[in-house]
Amino acid sequence: MQVFRWHEAAALIGADGAEMRGGAEYAPIVADRPGPVALARALAGNGQAFRIGGAGPLEAGFGAFEALTGGSLGVPRPIVRTHASWIASFAVNAGLFGIGPGVAVAVLGRLSHSLALYGAVEGVCLGARVHLLDTMRADRQAQALAVRGAEVLYATPSQLFGVVAADVRLPALRHVLVGGAALDAGLRARLADLAPNAAVQVFYGAAETSFIAMGRGVGSVGHPYPGVLLRLTDSAGQEADEGEIWVKSPYLFRGYAGADAGAARWDQGWLSVGEVGRMTPSGLQLRGRSGRMVTVADRNVFPEEIEAFLQALPGVARVAVVPRPDPVRGQVLVAVVMGDRGVEASFRAAARAELGPMVAPRAVIWVDAWPELPSGKTDLRTLMAGVARWL
């Protein structure tokens, strides 16, 4: 049975610069901070189950562990997956991105987020020097990346936004591996300016599926990750160029822990988490999650598609689109935006021109702070509760 093994060359380095090279006392359930201690204790079991963060009893057995979903639409759920389901992609990434003994890998998120946990565990198993920087402010993270010569970076777009705002040059970066959300053109351009030697790869996936597709994140989420099979099905369950996304790969999870049945569905070895997309020559384009789809004036609308367009408009730092009931249209959309309030007129005009007057956001709410989950994703539940109060 394949289980996580601490490579003899690996080291975990925290925000304070102190190193850990194993030797911790095993604990099955640990808090996610301090990160180096948490991961060292979890991996000390040499194949025994563990979970970093989360609540409730541990259900995983030997050779398995629990991670947490992003939880954008609710409380993060614990999932059970085998060590082997992640180990299968370690060798792929070692070849693609040169992760190995002595390579400086940096992780910006907390280890209770599956992307951050994946990057840290992969680095330890491949012998990298893994820098866990989640306790730092974004500007100090940027300085640490520069001073420590980080070569490979795992991050979400929101984490990268804070890093590039610090305006610190990162010449040592070779690969920036982005997950959790789409990477807009403005952030990509700023990142290219500060890290001119870095290739940016955007991964599409979920905690339940791990990697599904990867690419440069321009116009699509790319093509299937090595070892992944994709199929799209229409409402009748027939294969189509557009529809629900189903995945088959060696990287899939085993199931949800606890009483929550979760959103994923299985069909003869294929797995879907309810996302909808279309296949194009440039790769897989995402429309959004079926759970977020809303009907506006008899038209099915995916808020994620609208968010991607609005995010690229000048002066917009963060944006989310949420529905509100309407007696005429059934539902209308509200845009919650963080950024330059002086662009509201042009923001509204661009939205109406692109989306039409029926679908364009009926209201725009500007905020000074952005609610985030530990995963770095937008806390949609908090935003929707705020919209109900503000309108």
Side-chain angles (χ1 to χ4, degrees), residues 79-165:
I79 65 169
V80 179
R81 58 164 55 250
T82 64
H83 293 208
S85 68
W86 272 8
I87 291 172
S89 57
F90 291 173
V92 176
N93 288 351
L96 290 173
F97 311 121
I99 303 173
V103 173
V105 173
V107 175
L108 301 185
R110 299 176 70 155
L111 296 183
S112 51
H113 176 214
S114 62
L115 175 68
L117 180 62
Y118 176 89
V121 174
E122 176 184 72
V124 167
C125 290
L126 294 177
R129 293 176 56 80
V130 181
H131 299 264
L132 302 179
L133 308 179
D134 65 286
T135 59
M136 292 178 157
R137 291 190 332 230
D139 58 336
R140 292 180 179 172
Q141 285 180 331
Q143 293 166 5
L145 292 174
V147 170
R148 301 185 188 191
E151 301 166 77
V152 178
L153 174 63
Y154 274 95
T156 66
S158 63
Q159 292 161 357
L160 289 174
F161 181 83
V163 167
V164 301

Side-chain angles (χ1 to χ4, degrees), residues 343-371:
V343 304
E344 181 168 338
S346 61
F347 178 92
R348 287 179 175 272
R352 287 177 66 87
E354 175 71 16
L355 306 170
M358 298 298 284
V359 175
R362 185 76 170 272
V364 179
I365 299 172
W366 294 86
V367 297
D368 296 320
W370 199 258

Side-chain angles (χ1 to χ4, degrees), residues 322-340:
V322 298
R324 293 288 294 164
D326 181 80
V328 176
R329 303 182 192 179
Q331 296 184 89
V332 294
L333 300 178
V334 174
V336 183
V337 189
M338 185 173 74
D340 180 4

Side-chain angles (χ1 to χ4, degrees), residues 70-388:
S72 301
L73 299 174
V75 178
R77 301 182 181 100
I79 65 169
V80 179
R81 58 164 55 250
T82 64
H83 293 208
S85 68
W86 272 8
I87 291 172
S89 57
F90 291 173
V92 176
N93 288 351
L96 290 173
F97 311 121
I99 303 173
V103 173
V105 173
V107 175
L108 301 185
R110 299 176 70 155
L111 296 183
S112 51
H113 176 214
S114 62
L115 175 68
L117 180 62
Y118 176 89
V121 174
E122 176 184 72
V124 167
C125 290
L126 294 177
R129 293 176 56 80
V130 181
H131 299 264
L132 302 179
L133 308 179
D134 65 286
T135 59
M136 292 178 157
R137 291 190 332 230
D139 58 336
R140 292 180 179 172
Q141 285 180 331
Q143 293 166 5
L145 292 174
V147 170
R148 301 185 188 191
E151 301 166 77
V152 178
L153 174 63
Y154 274 95
T156 66
S158 63
Q159 292 161 357
L160 289 174
F161 181 83
V163 167
V164 301
D167 199 32
V168 175
R169 293 191 62 79
L170 303 169
L173 269 182
R174 295 185 291 103
H175 294 283
V176 180
L177 310 179
V178 186
L183 183 65
D184 71 86
L187 179 55
R188 176 184 290 278
R190 189 72 184 111
L191 186 60
D193 180 56
L194 294 174
N197 301 314
V200 179
Q201 289 284 350
V202 177
F203 287 107
Y204 161 58
E208 296 93 332
T209 63
S210 195
F211 300 113
I212 296 176
M214 70 174 182
R216 302 305 301 273
V218 179
S220 77
V221 293
H223 296 278
Y225 181 84
V228 172
L229 297 177
L230 283 181
R231 75 178 185 190
L232 276 58
T233 62
D234 59 21
S235 58
Q238 300 300 308
E239 291 198 32
D241 291 332
E242 179 173 336
E244 187 173 7
I245 300 168
W246 291 85
V247 186
K248 181 181 283 188
S249 80
Y251 318 121
L252 305 181
F253 84 141
R254 179 179 288 174
Y256 294 98
D260 192 333
R265 296 168 15 249
W266 292 92
D267 182 14
Q268 300 181 35
W270 293 84
L271 178 68
S272 172
V273 293
E275 294 196 322
V276 176
R278 62 169 67 94
M279 291 303 302
T280 73
S282 65
L284 178 65
Q285 289 183 346
L286 299 182
R287 298 205 64 194
R289 285 218 173 193
S290 56
R292 284 194 70 193
M293 188 186 76
V294 298
T295 302
V296 179
D298 299 322
R299 175 180 167 185
N300 290 336
V301 176
F302 289 90
E304 294 96 328
E305 288 186 316
I306 298 174
E307 289 165 352
F309 169 74
L310 298 177
Q311 182 72 61
L313 295 178
V316 176
R318 303 293 298 273
V319 65
V321 174
V322 298
R324 293 288 294 164
D326 181 80
V328 176
R329 303 182 192 179
Q331 296 184 89
V332 294
L333 300 178
V334 174
V336 183
V337 189
M338 185 173 74
D340 180 4
R341 299 177 186 230
V343 304
E344 181 168 338
S346 61
F347 178 92
R348 287 179 175 272
R352 287 177 66 87
E354 175 71 16
L355 306 170
M358 298 298 284
V359 175
R362 185 76 170 272
V364 179
I365 299 172
W366 294 86
V367 297
D368 296 320
W370 199 258
E372 287 187 350
L373 298 162
S375 63
K377 293 184 177 181
T378 297
D379 186 341
L380 288 171
R381 178 172 289 186
T382 296
L383 271 187
M384 288 189 285
V387 168

